Amino acid sequence: MLFLFFVSCLYSQTADSIPLNKVPSQASTVPQPSLSDKNTGFIFKPTLGLGIGTLSIYGDLYTKNFQAPMIGRVVYELNLSQSITHYLQFNFYVLNGKLGANERNVNVNRNLNFQSQITTGGINLLYNFGNFLPVNRQASPFVSLGFEGLEFLSKTDLYDAHNNRYYYWSDNTIRNKSQTDPEAFKAIEIKRDYSYESDIRELNLDGFGKYPERSFAVPVGIGSIFKINEFWSAKFGVTMHFTFTDYIDGVTNNSVGDRKGNARNDNFMMSSFSLNYNFGVNKKESFKDEEKYNMEQVDYFALDKDDQDADGVIDMVDSCQGTPPGIEVDAKGCPLDGDKDGVPDYLDKELKSGIDAFVDENGVTLTDSIFAYRYEFYMDSTGRFAKVEVHDHKGNLVVNSATQKTYTVELGNYKKGLSSVVLSQFLSINDINSTVNNDSTTTYTAGTFSTVEAAEKRKQELINSGVTYAKVVYKQKGKVYDLADVTSNQNNTNKSGIVTTKDKTESTSNEPTNSVPASNIGIHSSDIVFRIQLGAYHKPISKNVFKDIENLMEVRTDDSLYKYMTGAYTDISIAAKNKVEILLKGYDGVFITAYKDGKRIMLKDAGATTNSEKETIDEIPDNKAISGVNKKLIQFKVQIGALIYEPTSDNKIKFAKIKNLEKEATTKGLNRYVVGPFNDYNTALNTKNNLMANGVTDAFIIAFFNGEQITTQEAIELLK
């Protein structure tokens, strides 16, 4: 009867009744009415679906009166549907499956179970939000509401296969006699067979009599439909069936004893998956009507005369569509190309290239030298033309600044130390760096840049501030190279903007540039530059001593002092904060200096203040040698051997006679045998002489600063 009612409700619908913006497309996920000829009525072409799922009871059993879906019984679904509109669908369905539950509650001695055969048939309306969502979509969420009739046949499992009644004992066992039976000691343990053999209605345990095992329900569902192709779709959903009966599980609020349940009706939930086939799609003509409908809306005359780039040549005959506005074109709609080199005149930087000449993307003739340059550029793997990146085996970028080419501004190259005047002027430049060359000269530069243009900009800033001599150079592998030949040829660059191989003659000489006289240096700036000085020594100190100090700079003065400093701060508070951090690293003699307009100024004139009137700010003269390190961190030891293996028996005897001998592991995997440490060199020297006097011929002194090994000469210099 429901099926006949469903068919009788079908109505006539034509293509005219479908809005233009709702024409069904290939990506629609919901079955659509077919678009046929305007004089053809609507034809019943349904979608058939087969599904499987689980049923979960929401009734009187269990403490919380509901059952998890994952332990529900299996149910099967047959669904027949038809789209009414592009967002509303009518469905007729039947379900057949099992619904059941098992409750074993020791606390209240309640042991109930049931299984019911469920058969339902009904109708519902499915709404897929199609009037809000795009027509071309792969998934359609939905909600549904319907009405159904259901039949249930509920049974319970009271006896095993040998007709033994189940008695549930307090020790969680099931036996064939009651725990209160006089012969309970004869009871044997049995197992449930989960065969539901006893009809609950026939048992009439609660006196309900012959109650009807049929009812009605209102199913409310949610889910989503996923389009597989034009014919197949998959539906996932959850439906709650609100019934009008409380007898499905055989327990109600009127049940007696421990069987008493709640006053609510028994409901159940269905979680399901189904596959659906659309009989309304014709394999050969599925989109013919849609195409016909769309083509009727096309203005072919307008298409014939369309000229999208507005160059005066219609698109039908335009060979170069997309020409920019205002560009003159030929009869085919292509921009003019006077020299026929393939580059239109409005992009051509060389309008009169030679006949059959090879040109670049700008229309500029490619010479043999440019061909050679481009080949070398393409094949380059040395970093000559481009930055080279090195990655480790994990793909991480390994930055090796020594191998990268960087540009900087050279301020001068000096064979001797700087005078106090030039030193103050250089230290007033906040981005100055120093590089000690192989020939013992020192090159002073300002800034580090990745491009020549950025270095040229900094050069001009320095010239404007009073540095009369400045030139752009580049650094690579710790060496400074002159860029004069390359930069001087920039004006001779050809029209393509590329320097030819002949023009690009980078200096490969290791010779330094000429030194710059002090008279060519001058600084005029209102900024104050603060620096932190680590010490001044009569002999050079290896930078390994200061390896935990960032931005270290070495400056040699004309009074034979080697000064080591770091930082370039414009705020005295930031300089003071960094000074404290350096003090904590073991450099307790560091101090701050200030520079302005190319001169060193007093710290009090630079804005430095003290916490009390009794405190003073020490000003160290430029010509005074001073060590900035904590001398307590300098130690000496006497080494008598470094071995890969254990010492020989003779050496063991010799070592046993030496007092305070220690074994240390070196970074190279050797075992070093030393005596010490000592806080002064003379004590270490006396210990060495005594050891040699007692037959240790290969004893010598080694030195450490802050736990790191340095040369003995450096340690002696740091102690001065």
Side-chain angles (χ1 to χ4, degrees), residues 22-34:
K22 297 300 181 181
V23 174
S25 66
Q26 297 184 26
S28 175
T29 60
V30 180
Q32 303 286 347
S34 63

Side-chain angles (χ1 to χ4, degrees), residues 589-607:
V590 299
F591 57 93
I592 299 176
T593 56
Y595 302 88
K596 181 181 180 182
D597 290 332
K599 299 179 181 179
R600 180 176 174 181
I601 62 175
M602 303 292 287
L603 287 180
K604 61 181 181 179
D605 296 332

